[in-house]
């Protein structure tokens, strides 16, 4: 299959292209030199902007937690429905759409790669079954490991090699891509109905602190040479004053940093950027966090911006989800997973007239506008926690247009508006910077070499938007920008046109990435014995029924890695 | 002779995965670790099998080639205005996914056995949520176990030894480390081994749970008895619940199918939510079929709803009571049925069964059933977990891959293969107009 995209205005930050008219040639799913084409279909992209397909580094799209969310909220499914079409399954959704809807909707916005950021290892077979039924996009999932009994025990003994060997086994067994930490240690405490405060509170019975867990897994991640750093949902999420815990978290690995590139990724940092001592004086800690991120090279973050929507919160942070249930009075699902992790789901509506919600909204944008280097930031809402992914273009408009921000600010709670510094920030993201935070940066942080750029050899994942920066004032006409980004003119995935004018046109299936890490044989043998001895006493299933086979993934795409010492 | 170990059992919601199945030649001759139900299924797996696909001609069912049966089944569904596709709980997730795709293609209603079983529990979840966990959490941590309207010693035979009072957990090692409470309308087998047995008057559970919630808050209960239970016993139970370190409450059809139905689970959920203010407390429905939870789960990720899904408009509509199979059939609204891994003619109300038999009826099942005996198309299938593989979901949501230990009888396909065949044929018929 050959495609030649002519006359598009290209934004390709990896290759330094900032709005140039460049032809893009596609062959066999890759971007190639135009000279290699023999018989290409020509797509005239005059008046269109081309960007590498969107990469969502953190979005809850598949697995037991997401599915329990679907069960909890039949009312959510009434908000958008669309009849099945030719070769297309029905669309049902909004904040927790069906798996087919997820794939079609991401494609409609020009997104082509999405990461499911937190899956409980024991139930990850379920996550993969759902990912298998999520069309078009390439995907991967991150097993949650911070409250895993084997991990806690290895780290308590200081056995980094053992922990690394165990996690290489785990990643292979559940076909995971990166290591996820969620309020480290908290899910184990929540197994008893308790929580942790800060990063120096020991986990009951295991007597290891979040700080020790974070540092241990940081070292393990490097040892395993994983393509992506550890992803961490910081402790004390949602609590006023928690920006200090976030700073502690970022600082706690400073002495371990060896290279001059990112090695710690803070997820949905907005929810952990709160100053103040209570709900009444909640204020922004975004400046402090941005200052730290600006002056340190080891940290990256994704945003976790909130939208004024009736949405669904769902995280592995069991204690926090319970707190949210008590605060809001809304229905609540809790699901703790033996020897591994936990989680909860609570519907939640962010209201512009609520002081707290309005402050939350300003905090995310403040952070994004104060981080100087866009390569350190990825655009997310922690879908669906902050809002549904289908509304990302609203956030894009706020980043790119101070006028859009003004219009939104005018409608929020007055006290929040006065308290926030957002009104005085006039920075506007350029299209180039937008391409960084929605594609190039997440691809780089994930270590997905074929994604996030349009250079020769890249995967042919391309988004074409009906935007002409020469004839449109991107700041003043923010509504048009928003609409253009919401309905991509064309979305190309693996060289195939999969969406036109913001509608998916066919059901294709992308790849599921996972990491296959080889560790030193002596460590592998050692942990095998540990597994045989302890697994059955910890779990309620047998060891041999735990791993997932490669054939269980619709399209398996492993990254083969040799850990240090191999 | 070969012995397979770690074999997951395809019977009930316990999904025990430690069976040891011995096969000689092509016959299963021994099953280790399994309960009576498991043994019955494995050792009788060849009984009452349908030997070949059949089509009804007059009063007789005549053996035909599989391709003929599949074509006829596809034609029945293609020509129907409003077919019902029902069953699903006793087959693999992969088959269920294909069933939904088929229902979308033919514009029918698709429903699983939840609608006549734990449906009320899921409806209550949609209202209030559910504080829950996986079974290993209970095994390791729970010091208080409650079975309410559930009699595991007769329904889920190894539940207690694998997951609750008899299991060796990290912090609870033996029976002595747990307290067992049973609430039921009569003294069941499980009640006989309980530390506390609360006999509740039939259909009065809602009042009893309300009184428990009051007792938890130290509120004054004005009567001497509620639902037949002395108030001192209610207060004692409340103290027990509030004072435990980790409580786990399992509930069954005693609550979901007695007066109040989903309202019983509604208030039970409120009770467990309340308890989380004082201690750690979880609840879990005792799912019956080995993959009824899987049916809910697959339905959810494909349609947004756990059962009773109408696809006749081209998108999912969920309205239990309207779109549930037993109700559609009872009101005579459907004009064809596909029944898979279920026997509704043996269980459903008379009017529903009359509709089943007076319209074209397709049955996909390994065995002869009451439903299949009068069906227009009968397609025999392989037994998941014995003759073919497939994913199932345990009552707590843990997915386990079932395996085959023997080959299916000659010419017998899996549910997956059969459904794929029907789907392909339906699409062909639609293309031809």
């Amino acid at each position: 299959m050959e495609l030649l995209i002519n006359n598009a205005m290209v934004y390709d930050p990896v290759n330094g292209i900032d709005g140039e008219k460049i032809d893009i040639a596609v062959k066999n799913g890759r971007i190639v030199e135009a000279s290699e084409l023999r018989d290409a279909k020509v797509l005239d992209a005059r008046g269109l902007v081309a960007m590498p397909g969107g990469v969502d580094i953190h979005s809850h799209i598949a697995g037991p937690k997401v599915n329990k969310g679907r069960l909890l909220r039949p009312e959510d499914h009434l908000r958008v429905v669309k009849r099945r079409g030719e070769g297309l399954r029905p669309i049902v959704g909004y904040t927790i759409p069906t798996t087919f809807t997820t794939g079609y909707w991401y494609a409609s916005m020009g997104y082509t790669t999405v990461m499911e950021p937190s899956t409980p290892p024991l139930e990850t077979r379920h996550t993969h079954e759902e990912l298998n039924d999520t069309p078009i996009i390439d995907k991967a999932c991150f097993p949650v490991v911070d409250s895993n009994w084997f991990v806690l025990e290895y780290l308590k003994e200081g056995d980094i090699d053992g922990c690394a060997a165990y996690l290489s086994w785990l990643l292979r067994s559940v076909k995971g891509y990166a290591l996820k930490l969620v309020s480290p240690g908290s899910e184990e405490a929540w197994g008893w109905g308790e929580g942790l405060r800060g990063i120096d509170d020991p986990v009951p019975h295991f007597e290891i602190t979040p700080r020790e867990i974070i540092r241990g897994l940081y070292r393990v991640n490097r040892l395993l040479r994983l393509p992506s750093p550890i992803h961490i949902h910081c402790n004390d999420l949602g609590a006023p004053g928690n920006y200090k815990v976030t700073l502690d978290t970022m600082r706690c690995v400073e002495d371990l940093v060896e290279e001059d590139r990112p090695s710690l990724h803070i997820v949905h940092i907005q929810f952990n950027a709160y100053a103040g001592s209570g709900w009444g004086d909640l204020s922004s800690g975004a400046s402090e966090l941005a200052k730290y991120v600006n002056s340190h090279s080891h940290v990256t973050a994704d945003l976790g911006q909130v939208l004024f929507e009736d949405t669904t919160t769902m995280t592995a942070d069991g204690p926090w989800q319970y707190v949210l249930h008590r605060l809001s009075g809304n229905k609540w699902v809790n699901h703790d997973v033996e020897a591994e992790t936990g989680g909860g789901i609570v519907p939640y509506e962010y209201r512009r007239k609520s002081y707290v919600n309005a402050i939350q909204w300003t905090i995310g944008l403040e952070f994004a506008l104060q981080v100087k280097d866009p390569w350190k930031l990825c655009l997310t809402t922690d879908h669906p926690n902050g809002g549904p992914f289908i509304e990302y273009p609203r956030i894009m408009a706020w980043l790119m247009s101070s006028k859009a921000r003004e219009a939104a600010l005018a409608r929020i709670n007055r006290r929040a508006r006065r308290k926030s510094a957002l009104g005085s920030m006039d920075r506007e993201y350029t299209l180039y910077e937008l391409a960084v935070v929605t594609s190039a940066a997440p691809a780089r942080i994930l270590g997905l070499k074929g994604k996030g750029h349009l250079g020769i050899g890249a995967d042919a994942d391309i988004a074409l938007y009906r935007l002409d920066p020469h004839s449109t004032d991107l700041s003043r006409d923010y509504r048009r920008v928003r609409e253009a980004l919401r309905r991509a003119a064309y979305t190309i995935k693996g060289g195939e046109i999969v969406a036109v004018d913001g509608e998916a046109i066919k059901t294709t299936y992308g790849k599921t990435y996972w990491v296959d890490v080889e560790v030193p044989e002596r460590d592998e043998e050692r942990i095998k014995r540990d597994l045989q001895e302890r697994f059955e006493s910890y779990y309620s299933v047998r060891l041999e029924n735990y791993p997932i086979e490669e054939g269980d993934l619709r399209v398996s795409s492993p990254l083969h890695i040799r850990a240090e010492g191999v | 002779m070969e012995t397979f170990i770690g074999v997951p059992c395809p019977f009930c919601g316990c999904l025990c995965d430690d069976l040891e199945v011995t096969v000689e030649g092509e016959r299963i001759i021994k099953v280790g670790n399994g309960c009576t139900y498991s043994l019955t299924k494995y050792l009788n797996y060849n009984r009452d099998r349908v030997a070949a696909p059949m089509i009804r001609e007059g009063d007789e069912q005549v053996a035909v080639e599989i391709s003929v049966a599949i074509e006829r089944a596809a034609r029945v569904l293609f020509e129907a205005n409003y077919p019902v596709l029902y069953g699903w709980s006793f087959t693999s997730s992969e088959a269920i996914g294909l069933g939904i795709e088929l229902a979308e293609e033919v514009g029918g209603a698709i429903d699983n056995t939840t609608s006549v079983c734990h449906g009320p529990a899921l409806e209550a979840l949609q209202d209030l949520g559910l504080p829950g966990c996986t079974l290993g959490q209970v095994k390791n941590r729970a010091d208080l176990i409650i079975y309410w309207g559930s009699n595991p010693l007769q329904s889920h035979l190894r539940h207690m030894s694998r997951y609750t009072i008899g299991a060796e957990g990290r912090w609870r090692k033996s029976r002595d480390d747990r307290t067992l409470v049973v609430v039921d309308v009569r003294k069941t087998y499980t009640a006989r081994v309980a530390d506390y047995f609360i006999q509740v008057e039939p259909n009065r559970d809602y009042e009893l749970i309300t009184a428990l919630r009051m007792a938890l808050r130290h509120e004054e209960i004005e009567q001497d008895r509620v639902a037949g239970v002395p108030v001192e016993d209610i207060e004692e139970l409340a103290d027990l619940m509030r004072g435990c370190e980790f409580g786990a409450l399992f509930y069954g059809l005693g609550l979901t199918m007695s007066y109040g139905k989903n309202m019983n689970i509604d208030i039970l959920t409120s009770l467990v939510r309340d308890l989380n203010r004082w201690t750690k407390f979880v609840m879990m429905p005792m799912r019956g079929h080995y993959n009824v939870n899987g049916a809910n789960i697959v339905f959810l990720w494909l349609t947004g709803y756990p059962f009773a899904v109408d696809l006749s408009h081209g998108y999912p509509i969920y309205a239990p009571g309207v779109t549930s199979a037993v109700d559609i059939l009872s009101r005579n609204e459907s004009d064809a049925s596909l029944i898979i891994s279920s026997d509704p003619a043996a269980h459903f109300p008379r009017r529903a069964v009359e509709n089943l038999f007076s319209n074209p009826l397709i049955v996909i099942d390994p065995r002869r059933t009451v439903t299949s005996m009068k069906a227009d198309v009968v397609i025999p299938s392989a037994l998941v977990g014995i003759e073919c593989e497939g994913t199932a979901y345990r009552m707590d949501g843990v997915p386990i891959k079932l395996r085959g230990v023997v080959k299916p009888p000659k010419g017998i396909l899996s549910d997956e293969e059969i459904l794929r065949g029907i789907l392909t044929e339906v699409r062909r018929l639609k293309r031809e107009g």
Side-chain angles (χ1 to χ4, degrees):
Chain A
M1 223 233 92
E2 297 187 0
L3 188 61
L4 179 64
I5 303 167
N6 285 342
N7 301 314
M9 177 159 294
V10 178
Y11 292 83
D12 182 7
V14 168
N15 297 302
I17 297 169
D18 187 1
E20 290 171 45
K21 276 225 160 83
I22 295 181
D23 291 347
I24 305 172
V26 171
K27 182 174 177 166
N28 294 334
R30 290 259 154 82
I31 294 179
V32 298
E33 301 275 9
S35 54
E36 281 188 50
L37 299 182
R38 296 284 162 262
D39 180 25
K41 172 182 158 109
V42 177
L43 183 53
D44 183 2
R46 210 181 315 251
L48 304 182
V49 154
M51 290 191 184
V55 177
D56 196 341
I57 195 171
H58 189 108
S59 178
H60 299 278
I61 56 167
K65 199 166 58 257
V66 177
N67 215 33
K68 285 188 179 59
R70 292 187 183 106
L71 176 58
L72 184 66
R73 305 207 70 190
E75 70 273 15
D76 188 76
H77 311 319
L78 297 173
R79 293 173 72 176
V80 182
V81 290
K82 188 171 170 202
R83 249 180 257 279
R84 61 192 294 267
E86 185 65 45
L88 296 167
R89 308 289 290 269
I91 281 182
V92 185
Y94 192 54
T95 70
I96 341 142
T98 62
T99 54
F100 280 89
T101 307
T102 299
Y104 297 150
W105 276 6
Y106 265 111
S108 75
M109 293 197 303
Y111 272 76
T112 49
T113 302
V114 181
M115 300 285 120
E116 162 50 60
S118 97
T119 176
L122 177 63
E123 297 177 324
T124 297
R125 180 179 290 282
H126 178 170
T127 308
H128 283 295
E129 289 217 298
E130 291 199 20
L131 289 176
N132 285 346
D133 275 351
T134 306
I136 302 175
I137 56 175
D138 286 338
K139 53 246 165 167
C141 60
F142 307 161
V144 182
V145 297
D146 63 274
S147 285
N148 177 301
W149 286 4
F150 286 99
V151 168
L152 295 180
E153 284 166 359
Y154 284 124
L155 293 182
K156 180 70 189 158
E157 280 162 39
D159 184 359
I160 299 292
D161 290 328
C163 190
Y166 168 74
L167 286 173
S168 97
W169 174 85
L170 186 77
L171 285 163
R172 186 179 309 110
S173 293
V174 306
K175 303 294 177 282
Y177 188 80
L179 299 177
K180 178 68 183 291
L181 287 68
V182 177
S183 196
S186 298
E187 308 111 276
E188 172 50 39
W190 184 241
W192 295 108
E194 291 172 29
L196 300 177
R197 278 271 181 82
I199 63 170
D200 292 301
D201 206 357
V203 177
H205 296 288
F206 288 86
E207 302 314 315
I208 181 173
T209 64
R211 181 188 295 271
E212 289 164 332
I213 298 169
I214 297 164
R215 286 173 62 83
L217 289 171
Y218 181 91
R219 293 170 63 195
V220 163
N221 203 78
R222 188 170 45 225
L223 211 70
L224 292 177
R225 296 202 177 117
L226 295 184
S228 194
I230 54 174
H231 291 237
I232 168 161
H233 156 146
C234 293
N235 296 75
D236 284 30
L237 180 130
N242 65 8
Y243 84 91
K244 295 193 184 125
V245 178
T246 313
L247 281 175
D248 285 345
T249 303
M250 297 190 289
R251 283 184 185 131
C252 86
V253 295
E254 270 177 16
D255 63 306
L256 299 172
V257 175
E258 276 174 12
E259 52 292 290
D260 195 29
R261 57 187 174 80
S263 53
L264 184 76
H265 181 77
I266 310 286
V267 303
H268 45 68
I269 198 168
Q270 177 276 129
F271 290 106
N272 264 85
Y274 301 156
S277 59
W279 300 118
D281 68 348
L282 183 74
S283 62
S284 172
S287 299
E288 286 83 345
L289 295 184
K291 191 154 50 156
Y292 185 94
V293 170
N294 287 338
S295 56
H296 292 81
S297 56
H298 69 284
V299 183
T300 56
D302 64 75
L303 195 51
Q305 176 65 26
V306 311
L307 294 153
F308 296 116
E309 292 263 2
D310 172 356
T311 188
T312 309
T313 68
M314 54 173 70
T315 69
D317 193 338
W320 165 248
Q321 294 296 142
Y322 177 64
V323 165
L324 196 55
H325 154 65
R326 294 295 302 276
L327 278 176
S328 66
N330 293 341
K331 49 191 177 178
W332 165 57
V333 167
N334 183 79
H335 188 67
D336 302 326
V337 179
E338 64 213 55
E340 290 184 349
T341 178
I345 306 160
V346 178
Y348 189 76
E349 186 175 350
Y350 297 97
R351 297 188 159 89
R352 6 177 145 259
K353 296 303 184 194
S354 149
Y355 172 76
V356 168
N357 296 157
I359 286 284
Q360 287 177 299
W361 177 81
T362 62
I363 287 172
L365 294 176
E366 282 179 31
F367 183 80
L369 294 173
Q370 291 182 285
V371 168
K372 297 201 179 109
D373 178 5
W375 287 94
K376 294 184 177 175
L377 184 65
C378 307
L379 191 154
T380 64
T381 60
D382 188 21
H383 163 87
N385 288 281
F389 68 79
I390 197 67
E391 298 288 357
Y392 284 171
R394 281 190 190 278
I395 305 167
M396 297 173 191
W398 287 325
L399 291 177
M400 288 172 37
S401 163
S402 65
K403 192 153 173 281
R405 294 196 294 268
E406 264 169 53
L409 266 167
R411 300 169 62 201
I412 67 169
N413 173 288
R414 197 179 309 165
R415 188 159 68 94
R417 179 170 62 242
R418 284 203 295 257
K419 186 110 187 209
S420 166
L422 184 62
S424 65
M425 297 181 186
D426 49 23
R427 176 180 171 195
E428 292 180 330
Y429 270 57
T430 62
L431 278 174
Y432 186 91
E433 289 172 321
L434 186 73
V436 172
V437 299
T438 59
S439 185
R444 178 175 289 179
I445 294 165
L446 289 166
L448 289 169
K449 298 204 163 62
K451 307 290 185 202
H453 70 105
L454 298 173
I456 305 301
D459 290 351
D461 297 345
I462 307 158
L464 295 167
Y465 298 108
R466 223 167 277 289
L467 270 180
D468 185 353
H470 292 316
S471 65
T472 306
D473 182 331
L474 301 177
S475 175
R476 201 189 58 220
D477 292 333
Y478 62 87
R479 283 188 191 88
R480 176 158 350 160
V481 172
R482 197 168 69 204
E483 192 51 32
L485 294 170
R486 165 68 186 82
R487 308 197 116 70
Y490 296 93
T491 305
I492 291 138
K493 175 75 188 67
E496 240 183 301
I497 300 174
V498 290
V500 175
D501 286 330
E503 303 283 345
I505 59 169
K506 54 164 65 155
T507 302
T508 61
Y509 295 98
K511 303 195 259 304
T512 302
Y513 295 109
W514 55 281
V515 291
D516 178 21
V517 188
E518 192 190 337
V519 295
E521 208 174 311
R522 59 164 193 284
D523 292 324
E524 202 172 341
E525 290 308 310
R526 193 154 67 80
I527 66 107
K528 272 211 178 89
R529 281 196 301 272
D530 292 337
L531 282 166
Q532 262 141 23
E533 275 169 27
R534 298 186 229 166
F535 192 92
E536 253 109 66
S537 63
Y538 291 176
Y539 285 90
S540 62
V541 300
R542 284 178 63 102
L543 179 58
E544 64 249 49
N545 289 320
Y546 187 86
I548 300 162
E549 281 140 45
E550 206 174 350
D552 293 332
L553 273 48
R554 193 189 280 267
V555 184
S556 164
S557 189
L559 268 74
H560 299 289
I561 297 168
R562 292 178 120 183
E564 271 180 37
V566 170
Chain B
M1 204 169 77
E2 194 183 351
T3 298
F4 298 87
I5 61 165
V7 177
C9 172
F11 193 82
C12 82
C14 283
L15 223 53
C16 304
D17 72 332
D18 64 344
L19 298 192
E20 292 179 5
V21 182
T22 306
V23 176
E24 190 170 77
E26 274 299 304
R27 275 196 329 124
I28 296 172
I29 58 168
K30 186 161 166 233
V31 176
N33 291 336
C35 71
T36 321
Y37 292 134
S38 174
L39 252 69
T40 310
K41 183 163 185 177
Y42 274 94
L43 297 178
N44 291 304
Y45 80 105
N46 260 331
R47 289 259 208 102
D48 293 329
R49 299 297 291 266
V50 176
M54 297 186 288
I55 285 183
R56 187 147 75 102
E57 287 177 12
D59 279 335
E60 274 185 46
Q61 287 174 325
V62 175
V64 295
E65 290 292 316
I66 180 71
S67 56
V68 173
I70 284 179
E71 272 164 27
R72 177 66 65 91
R75 182 160 287 282
V76 163
L77 293 171
F78 170 70
E79 286 176 354
N81 276 323
Y82 191 46
V84 168
L85 288 71
Y86 177 77
W88 306 109
S89 307
F90 236 38
T91 184
S92 66
S93 311
E94 292 83 354
I96 297 164
L98 285 165
I100 292 170
E101 211 177 335
L102 179 60
E104 284 173 16
E105 201 67 58
V106 302
I110 183 162
D111 192 12
N112 57 67
T113 63
T114 303
S115 60
V116 294
C117 185
H118 263 104
L122 298 189
E123 286 173 13
L125 195 157
Q126 289 168 335
D127 280 341
L128 273 86
L130 186 145
C133 62
T134 64
L135 285 163
Q137 289 283 66
V138 177
K139 161 186 120 157
N140 285 316
R141 303 179 202 253
D143 58 337
L144 175 66
I145 307 287
I146 305 179
Y147 289 101
W148 196 310
S150 167
N151 182 16
L153 281 184
Q154 288 193 286
S155 65
H156 297 76
L157 275 50
R158 295 177 75 205
H159 195 263
M160 294 163 81
S161 60
R162 272 176 68 79
Y163 306 126
T164 63
I165 59 167
E168 190 179 337
R170 186 171 185 137
W171 291 288
R172 315 290 175 202
K173 304 279 182 200
S174 72
R175 176 71 180 88
D176 296 332
D177 297 326
R178 285 107 167 184
T179 304
L180 174 63
V181 176
V182 169
V183 184
D184 213 314
V185 298
R186 60 194 166 89
K187 197 160 193 179
T188 60
Y189 282 6
T190 314
R192 287 185 215 165
V193 303
D195 298 305
Y196 296 87
F197 166 54
I198 311 265
Q199 186 159 10
V200 58
E201 273 172 19
N203 297 312
R204 305 290 297 277
D205 298 88
Y206 192 96
E207 289 96 312
L208 178 57
I209 299 168
T210 307
L212 256 178
R213 291 184 75 202
M214 292 172 71
L216 270 180
R217 289 171 173 72
H218 304 297
E219 284 172 18
E220 194 68 40
I221 298 168
E222 287 167 3
Q223 295 133 272
D224 293 330
R225 287 175 169 268
V226 177
V229 182
V231 164
E232 304 81 67
D233 291 355
I234 296 174
E235 287 170 351
E236 190 178 6
L237 180 56
D239 285 341
L240 203 64
M241 290 169 98
R242 195 179 31 227
C244 73
E245 285 181 359
F246 188 119
L249 193 155
F250 298 91
Y251 57 100
L253 268 58
L255 281 177
T256 66
M257 285 294 153
S258 62
Y259 184 77
K261 288 193 172 180
N262 57 301
M263 296 312 296
N264 293 334
I265 313 304
D266 230 300
I267 195 140
L268 192 73
T269 309
S270 295
L271 172 68
V272 176
R273 284 192 338 186
D274 288 349
L275 281 160
N276 275 281
R277 290 182 203 213
W278 292 286
T279 184
K280 180 76 179 181
F281 226 98
V282 297
M283 61 195 285
M284 190 182 302
M286 295 285 277
R287 306 310 298 274
H289 294 76
Y290 75 85
N291 204 22
V292 62
N293 201 8
N296 298 142
I297 285 169
V298 177
F299 271 54
L300 279 164
W301 86 59
L302 291 177
T303 71
Y305 307 109
F307 60 97
V309 178
D310 175 303
L311 288 155
S312 62
H313 293 258
Y315 59 88
I317 294 175
Y318 165 76
V322 177
T323 57
S324 31
V326 64
D327 296 293
I328 293 171
L329 288 165
S330 297
R331 289 192 308 264
N332 212 16
E333 286 171 355
S334 55
D335 60 348
S337 307
L338 183 151
I339 306 298
I340 177 165
S341 75
S342 181
D343 194 11
H347 306 296
F348 276 14
R350 178 177 54 83
R351 256 186 248 135
V353 178
E354 276 170 6
N355 175 320
L356 267 181
F357 288 149
S358 56
N359 284 304
L361 171 61
I362 306 157
V363 172
I364 303 172
D365 207 289
R367 294 210 163 84
R368 258 192 1 252
T369 61
V370 176
T371 315
S372 78
M373 292 204 292
K374 281 220 213 170
D376 299 292
V377 184
V378 180
I379 305 180
S381 59
L383 285 158
V384 179
I386 299 181
E387 296 165 344
C388 65
E389 62 176 31
T391 305
Y393 287 80
R394 204 166 66 177
M395 63 166 70
D396 60 351
V398 172
I400 297 178
K401 190 158 188 182
L402 302 169
R403 319 194 242 133
V405 294
V406 290
K407 289 208 255 302
K410 194 164 188 308
I412 303 299
L413 303 176
S414 68
D415 291 318
E416 248 187 278
E417 290 165 311
I418 294 164
L419 289 163
R420 206 168 271 124
I422 298 175
L423 189 56
T424 306
E425 180 60 17
V426 164
R427 287 184 172 140
R428 192 188 68 78
L429 287 167
K430 286 176 105 176
R431 272 196 310 270
E432 288 183 0

